[in-house]
Amino acid sequence: MARDELHIGVGVPKQAAVEINQWVHDQKWPEGTEIEDIEEYHITMLFLQGEGSSKHREDDWTHDRHAVTVKGIKEFPPSEEREGLHPIVLLVEGETLQGHHNELVDDAEDKGLEVGEYTRDKYTPHITIAYGPSLPDGVEPPTITFETEESSVSDAREEDEKVSSWRLAGREWICPECNRGEWDHGENQDDPMYCPNCGSDENHNKEIAMY
């Protein structure tokens, strides 16, 4: 059974996602840290639960792209869904993020939906990169600026899906073997697609993640 929820997010484009993922794997994370898969990288613009929110997935929501910069790293309060691990997030900022978020909140309230506590002035745009017991000592965020993909409504999640699993469009470039490499051709565009990170190629693994 699908959850009664609505999620609108913007995806992180290919080059920025790979840069962030490489930075993540270069850090010395505490034991027990669970690294988020690269195809899960996104910035939530609106998240609603209950009150029939899932029935509004096909509504005419405002969608946009945003120029954003990573400005910090933070651990959020522990997540019950992740057995008490803290979401580790990169904080991002952009001139148009808050306005777009506020517009979506206004639209949701006009539809009679409950928007929850972490909206408007409590909205904290971020990219979740891991779940762990704490931040690494002395860690500094990467210096990355990029334009997001256009926002979209995520696919409905089933009850047993993990809380961070948001399926956004356009993730066919992610390698399903290592979740890090960006699929590419060899020197010849007629060559099979392959992952330069782990060497996997489309001839023996066709199940490319479509998130």
Side-chain angles (χ1 to χ4, degrees):
M1 178 181 295
R3 300 186 186 195
D4 183 16
E5 60 189 16
L6 171 72
H7 177 267
I8 298 176
V10 291
V12 178
K14 175 179 177 179
Q15 182 175 346
V18 171
E19 288 182 27
I20 291 171
N21 192 257
Q22 290 175 342
W23 174 87
V24 168
H25 282 82
D26 286 341
Q27 308 309 306
K28 295 181 178 180
W29 298 97
E31 184 176 353
T33 299
E34 299 176 2
I35 302 300
E36 190 78 317
D37 289 342
I38 188 174
E39 71 266 19
E40 301 285 0
Y41 291 170
H42 68 275
I43 302 169
T44 294
M45 299 304 303
L46 180 71
F47 179 45
L48 309 176
Q49 290 180 298
E51 305 295 328
S53 55
S54 61
K55 298 178 182 178
H56 294 270
R57 297 187 62 258
E58 303 299 327
D59 288 3
D60 187 20
W61 300 95
T62 300
H63 294 296
D64 206 349
R65 300 173 184 266
H66 303 281
V68 301
T69 299
V70 175
K71 68 172 184 177
I73 185 170
K74 183 177 182 178
E75 63 179 80
F76 282 173
S79 167
E80 293 182 4
E81 292 84 358
R82 290 300 187 110
E83 299 181 349
L85 294 177
H86 295 258
I88 307 300
V89 307
L90 294 178
L91 303 176
V92 299
E93 61 182 2
E95 292 184 359
T96 57
L97 281 171
Q98 188 70 50
H100 186 193
H101 166 74
N102 289 345
E103 183 175 358
L104 292 171
V105 171
D106 288 342
D107 290 345
E109 289 181 332
D110 289 344
K111 299 175 190 294
L113 298 172
E114 175 60 47
V115 297
E117 178 181 358
Y118 296 103
T119 55
R120 300 196 188 280
D121 60 343
K122 291 187 177 181
Y123 172 58
T124 305
H126 63 273
I127 302 167
T128 301
I129 55 172
Y131 289 83
S134 64
L135 288 170
D137 293 335
V139 66
E140 295 290 338
T143 302
I144 299 177
T145 297
F146 59 91
E147 182 179 270
T148 69
E149 297 168 350
E150 186 171 63
S151 59
S152 62
V153 177
S154 302
D155 289 349
R157 300 182 301 172
E158 298 300 318
E159 288 290 351
D160 59 350
E161 286 189 77
K162 61 184 180 182
V163 71
S164 64
S165 181
W166 297 115
R167 295 193 184 93
L168 299 176
R171 299 310 169 99
E172 68 275 5
W173 50 268
I174 298 299
C175 171
E177 292 286 349
C178 66
N179 284 319
R180 292 183 62 186
E182 49 182 300
W183 286 81
D184 201 355
H185 292 282
E187 295 182 2
N188 190 326
Q189 285 294 310
D190 294 330
D191 291 342
M193 296 288 282
Y194 79 105
C195 172
N197 182 65
C198 72
S200 175
D201 67 75
E202 64 179 353
N203 286 337
H204 74 264
N205 192 335
K206 298 283 187 177
E207 297 178 359
I208 302 173
M210 298 297 289
Y211 302 168

